């Protein structure tokens, strides 16, 4: 969080050609021509546009002359709340603008460069949108640090939020056609195949010979149209989740979450539908049969961010599904009113929609008015609220998993903190009242109140408590970036890497907006409360991190873990930088175990089964082509840049002036 000490001015944002002065200080310097600096502002970082010396750079260093008037003109590129603050060496704000939340809007302001200026940041996203200011004749205020917001290497670890943990290596076991892999699942009683979910609309099978030539399922023509979507900003829609029925071997049913185009009855202004569908695979389970789709649930989504997407079966046989709060400005349509003062109440209001929650349904019960049933013990059955809700108070629950009956859910934060929760039935996990265990404010996200409710009012579900997470970490600690968007993982329950045995291994999408994901490990503390944290060191990675954006963490039937990564910020079906990277011991020199042959070795076989020239298995169902009855090519949607899914994750976004990304 950016400190609010040493505040010496407040600049009000204006339209592209309007100027905001800083009192007489600017006026006194009017005889000097202003130097104009043009930037693009989005969560991954400030993008230099002009002058030519900074063009194309991320978080470029601004070289200024003391006493000279400068003008910054910046554009909001991704439609999430941003502002500009000029900081001193102590981290205090010298000048700041108001927040701008509309995509494409520009803000212009003038200021006089002083020797006290050290950095410029977006106060909603200081971990990634942070650059140095170098005053002529002075050493950089962050000399020895990094202009990417990471504040340089920290050899002794004293400035790191998490102590260093075990060192692991990664082995790429699948790449090839992958673009943005974010899910990794195994079917019950099938130890030989792993199913990789690619956000662009395909599910690939990974076997002992790498990736099969043809996808298990291809529904690219049922998703929102990516052809006009931005590739330089995070996109959170797409094929988002996969879960196999516990009795898949017998019934061949599996469940998929994806982002479909708006339907005729979708509320005006909503960008898409979040759809849960049941598919039935072929008799031998090797082809996904896209024509065998049964839509279970369509949820209109107001914004392109905060879609979550995980689906998983619990030990009771019910299907659990994560839903984000809808994203976008909390003042826009699609956000319900709630009991708290902050804008946007989808996480707290459980009566108007199914957003901001973990849902639980019975996919085997088809006897009611809906194509699914409601478990009798769901917490709101017989009470005010939608019966599908299992737990609520979430912003963007990105990836969830079960271990020993416990449900682990990572929830992407807004401006200051990321969190992981162990979720229980009927729990309220705090958003939008709290961010992690800390108070939150949509009006001033970087300066939230020190006190806020710990329970709902008595007339709201009886005054239920707001449950604190088991894990939280800040975006910035001691001037160093810690992360931007949490990526949920799994409990490591094998002994290949002994130091991780029993730890919950998860990660973060990006350290600083660049392709540098992180891996973390959390273990229960001796006392109740938050778990202990360590940052895993990736051998050969930049400063011990991954060399790509982290989209998900998968686990195979043996308990081994895999990092799902991409080099691309947005979603571009034409790119193939996606990788599945297995975590292995640092000192391991053995060959990969069964099923871990790199995709480059993949031939025309799948687990030893011959394929014909088209990739269809001999004697089995034909290869997936997504041409089911009643489905045509989707109409192109206006691209809305974004985040958090593949950036997932996040909405990596924060709230400002009542807005949210």
């Amino acid at each position: 969080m950016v400190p609010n000490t040493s505040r010496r001015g407040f600049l009000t944002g204006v339209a592209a050609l309007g100027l905001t002065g800083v009192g007489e200080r600017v006026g006194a310097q009017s005889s000097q021509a202003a130097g104009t600096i043009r930037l693009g502002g989005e969560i991954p970082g400030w993008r230099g546009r002009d002058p030519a010396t900074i063009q194309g750079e991320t978080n470029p260093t601004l070289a200024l002359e003391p006493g000279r008037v400068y003008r910054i003109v910046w554009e909001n590129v991704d439609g999430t709340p941003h502002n500009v603050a000029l900081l001193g060496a102590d981290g205090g704000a010298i000048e700041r603008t108001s927040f701008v939340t509309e995509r494409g809007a520009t803000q212009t302001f003038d200021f006089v460069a002083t020797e006290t200026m050290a950095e410029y940041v977006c106060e909603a996203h200081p971990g990634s949108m942070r650059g140095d200011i170098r005053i002529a004749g002075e050493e950089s205020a962050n000399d020895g640090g990094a202009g990417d917001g990471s504040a340089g290497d920290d050899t002794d670890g004293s400035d790191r939020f998490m102590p260093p943990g075990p060192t692991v290596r990664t082995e790429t076991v699948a790449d090839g056609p992958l673009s943005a892999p974010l899910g990794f699942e195994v079917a019950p009683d099938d130890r030989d195949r792993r199913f990789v979910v690619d956000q662009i609309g395909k599910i690939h099978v990974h076997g002992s010979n790498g990736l099969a030539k043809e996808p298990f399922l291809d529904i690219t023509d049922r998703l929102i149209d990516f052809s006009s979507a931005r590739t330089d900003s995070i996109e959170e829609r797409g094929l988002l989740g996969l879960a196999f029925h516990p009795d898949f071997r017998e019934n061949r049913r599996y469940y998929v979450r994806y982002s479909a185009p708006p339907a005729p009855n979708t509320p005006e202004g909503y960008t898409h539908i979040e759809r849960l569908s049941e598919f039935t695979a072929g008799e031998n389970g090797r082809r996904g049969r896209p024509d065998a789709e049964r839509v279970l649930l369509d949820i209109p989504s107001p914004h392109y961010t905060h879609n979550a997407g995980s689906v998983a079966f619990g030990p009771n046989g019910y299907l659990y599904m994560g839903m984000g709060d809808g994203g976008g400005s909390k003042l826009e349509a699609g956000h319900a009113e709630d009991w708290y003062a902050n804008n946007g109440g989808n996480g707290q209001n459980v009566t108007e929609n199914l957003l901001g929650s973990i849902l639980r349904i019975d996919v085997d019960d088809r006897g009611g008015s809906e194509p699914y049933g409601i478990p009798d013990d769901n917490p709101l059955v017989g009470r005010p609220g939608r019966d599908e809700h299992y737990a609520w108070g979430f912003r963007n629950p990105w990836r969830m998993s079960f271990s020993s009956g416990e449900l682990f859910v990572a929830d992407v934060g807004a401006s200051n903190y990321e969190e992981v929760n162990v979720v229980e039935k009927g729990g309220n996990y705090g958003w939008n009242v709290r961010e992690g265990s800390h108070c939150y404010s949509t009006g001033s996200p970087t300066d939230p109140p020190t006190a806020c409710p710990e329970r709902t009012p008595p007339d709201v579900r009886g005054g239920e408590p707001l449950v604190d997470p088991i894990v939280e970490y800040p975006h910035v600690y001691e001037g160093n970036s810690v992360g931007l968007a949490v990526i949920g993982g799994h409990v490591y329950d094998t002994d290949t890497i002994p130091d991780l045995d029993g730890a919950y291994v998860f990660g973060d999408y990006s350290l600083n907006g660049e392709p540098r994901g992180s891996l973390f490990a959390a273990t229960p503390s001796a006392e109740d409360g938050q778990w202990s944290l360590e940052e895993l060191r990736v051998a050969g990675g930049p400063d011990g991190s991954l060399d790509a954006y982290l989209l998900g963490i998968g686990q195979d039937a043996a308990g081994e873990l895999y990092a799902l990564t991409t080099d691309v910020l947005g979603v571009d079906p034409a790119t193939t930088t996606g990788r599945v990277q297995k975590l292995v011991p640092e000192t391991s020199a053995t060959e990969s175990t069964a099923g871990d042959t790199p995709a480059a070795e993949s031939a025309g076989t799948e687990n030893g089964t011959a394929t014909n020239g088209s990739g269809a298995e001999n004697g089995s169902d034909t290869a997936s082509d997504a041409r089911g009855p009643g489905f045509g090519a989707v109409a192109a949607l206006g691209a809305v840049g974004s985040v958090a899914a593949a950036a997932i994750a996040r909405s990596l976004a924060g709230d400002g002036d009542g807005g949210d990304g």
Side-chain angles (χ1 to χ4, degrees):
M1 185 188 310
V2 177
N4 288 285
T5 58
S6 304
R7 184 178 303 175
R8 302 199 323 200
F10 184 92
L11 307 180
T12 302
V14 292
L17 298 179
L19 293 181
T20 299
V22 286
E24 296 180 355
R25 288 173 288 163
V26 169
Q29 303 292 335
S30 59
S31 61
Q32 301 182 12
T36 300
I37 300 165
R38 299 184 185 276
L39 302 168
E42 56 184 336
I43 289 168
W46 295 104
R47 308 295 186 185
R49 293 181 174 178
D50 194 60
T53 53
I54 67 169
Q55 188 173 16
E57 292 188 22
T58 300
N59 295 324
T61 296
L62 304 183
L64 310 179
E65 298 178 13
R68 186 179 179 189
V69 177
Y70 288 88
R71 175 176 299 169
I72 289 181
V73 182
W74 68 276
E75 177 190 1
N76 186 315
V77 175
D78 58 10
T80 55
H82 302 305
N83 78 329
V84 181
L86 307 179
L87 308 184
D90 63 352
I94 298 172
E95 313 284 0
R96 60 158 56 93
T97 72
S98 60
F99 283 88
V100 175
T101 61
E102 182 180 354
R103 182 185 177 197
T106 58
Q107 187 181 61
T108 302
F109 71 97
D110 291 355
F111 66 95
V112 178
T114 68
E115 295 178 352
T116 59
M117 294 177 177
E119 293 180 287
Y120 65 100
V121 303
C122 166
E123 292 182 293
H125 309 98
S128 58
M129 301 178 69
R130 192 182 199 101
D132 289 346
I133 294 175
R134 185 184 295 274
I135 302 297
E138 299 274 340
E139 294 295 327
S140 171
N142 290 331
D143 194 38
D148 62 3
S150 63
D153 292 344
D154 172 31
T155 56
D156 64 3
S158 60
D159 291 334
R160 307 185 79 95
F161 178 75
M162 300 181 203
T167 297
V168 299
R169 290 189 303 111
T170 61
E171 293 180 352
T172 298
V173 300
D175 46 20
L178 299 176
S179 179
L182 51 74
F184 180 101
E185 305 296 337
V186 293
D189 302 319
D190 187 348
R191 300 181 64 87
D192 297 327
R193 297 188 300 165
R194 291 146 295 280
F195 296 79
V196 181
V197 180
D198 197 332
Q199 189 178 356
I200 64 172
K202 298 178 181 180
I203 298 174
H204 296 272
V205 177
H206 179 260
S208 58
N209 292 314
L211 291 180
K213 291 180 63 176
E214 295 295 324
F216 174 76
L217 182 73
D218 183 347
I219 55 170
T220 52
D221 67 353
R222 300 181 196 180
L223 272 59
I224 57 100
D225 186 4
F226 288 123
S227 64
S228 57
R230 298 179 59 93
T231 58
D232 59 352
S233 185
I234 302 168
E235 171 64 70
E236 294 187 36
R237 298 170 296 180
L239 179 53
L240 302 176
L242 165 69
F244 290 93
H245 193 282
D247 295 326
F248 177 75
R249 180 180 290 273
E250 287 75 32
N251 61 32
R252 297 305 185 195
R253 284 154 42 194
Y254 65 100
Y255 300 82
V256 169
R257 259 286 302 279
Y258 65 92
S259 306
N265 61 347
T266 302
E268 183 178 358
Y270 281 43
T271 65
H272 67 285
I273 294 168
E274 281 303 313
R275 174 168 292 165
L276 173 69
S277 284
E278 175 188 275
F279 289 84
T280 303
E283 289 186 5
N284 62 10
R286 296 190 177 277
R287 295 298 174 193
R289 297 180 60 213
D291 57 335
E293 179 180 16
R294 186 172 72 100
V295 176
L296 299 185
L297 184 60
D298 274 353
I299 302 176
S301 185
H303 206 56
Y304 46 88
T305 58
H306 301 200
N307 298 313
S310 283
V311 286
F313 280 93
N316 48 25
Y318 297 137
L319 183 69
Y320 295 72
M321 182 171 79
M323 286 300 305
D325 72 353
S329 170
K330 298 301 186 272
L331 299 177
E332 295 176 356
H335 289 278
E337 296 293 328
D338 70 352
W339 58 271
Y340 192 56
N342 282 339
N343 298 318
N346 285 342
Q348 295 297 317
N349 187 321
V350 297
T351 61
E352 292 193 23
N353 56 50
L354 297 176
L355 301 177
S357 295
I358 304 298
L359 311 179
R360 185 174 73 165
I361 62 174
D362 184 351
V363 297
D364 295 323
D365 184 351
R366 306 187 184 190
S369 59
E370 301 292 345
Y372 57 86
I374 300 294
D376 292 338
D377 63 340
N378 269 14
L380 298 181
V381 171
R383 301 171 57 195
R386 299 285 296 271
D387 290 345
E388 292 90 343
H389 289 290
Y390 177 77
W392 43 89
F394 295 96
R395 182 174 181 271
N396 189 21
W398 186 255
R399 309 299 92 179
M400 62 186 185
S401 63
F402 281 94
S403 177
S404 301
E406 291 187 312
L407 175 57
F408 289 80
V409 176
D411 195 21
V412 178
S415 301
N416 306 310
Y417 293 94
E418 302 298 310
E419 66 181 273
V420 177
N421 302 277
V422 171
V423 172
E424 297 182 352
K425 181 176 66 177
N428 183 337
Y429 292 86
W431 179 256
N432 63 354
V433 183
R434 306 172 79 86
E435 187 181 22
S437 61
H438 304 266
C439 299
Y440 187 73
S441 169
T442 52
S444 57
T446 61
D447 188 20
T450 57
C452 57
E454 296 182 356
R455 312 180 72 92
T456 64
D459 60 347
V460 177
R461 298 180 294 278
E464 65 195 12
L466 306 183
V467 183
D468 283 342
I470 61 165
V471 166
E472 70 176 9
Y473 60 91
H475 291 173
V476 178
Y477 177 75
E478 299 292 340
N480 293 326
S481 296
V482 180
L484 299 179
V486 66
I487 304 296
H490 298 264
V491 173
Y492 188 74
D493 56 4
T494 188
D495 58 3
T496 305
I497 308 175
D499 289 338
L500 294 182
D501 190 18
Y504 176 73
V505 178
F506 64 111
D508 193 279
Y509 171 72
S510 169
L511 176 68
N512 53 15
E514 296 299 315
R516 287 183 58 182
S518 301
L519 295 173
F520 308 134
T523 53
S525 301
E527 301 178 359
D528 291 340
Q530 293 204 1
W531 291 20
S532 299
L533 290 174
E534 292 180 320
E535 182 175 358
L536 304 188
R537 314 299 290 165
V538 180
D543 195 24
S545 63
L546 295 165
D547 61 351
Y549 296 110
L550 178 67
L551 301 182
I553 295 177
Q555 187 170 46
D556 66 16
E560 304 293 354
L561 298 180
Y562 300 77
L564 313 177
T565 67
T566 183
D567 297 347
V568 177
L569 182 63
V571 176
D572 184 356
T575 63
T576 56
T577 66
R579 287 177 288 166
V580 177
Q581 304 183 59
K582 185 178 182 181
L583 305 189
V584 298
E586 178 186 15
T587 57
S588 173
T590 60
E591 294 296 323
S592 299
T593 57
D596 297 331
T597 304
E601 299 178 15
S602 179
T605 61
E606 180 186 350
N607 297 332
T609 303
T611 62
N612 59 32
S614 68
E617 295 169 5
N618 296 334
S620 68
D621 304 293
T622 58
S624 302
D625 62 8
R627 291 194 299 268
F631 295 95
V634 295
L637 295 177
V640 205
S642 121
V643 37
I648 298 173
R650 198 188 173 78
S651 135
L652 289 147
D655 295 74
D657 285 356
D660 188 348

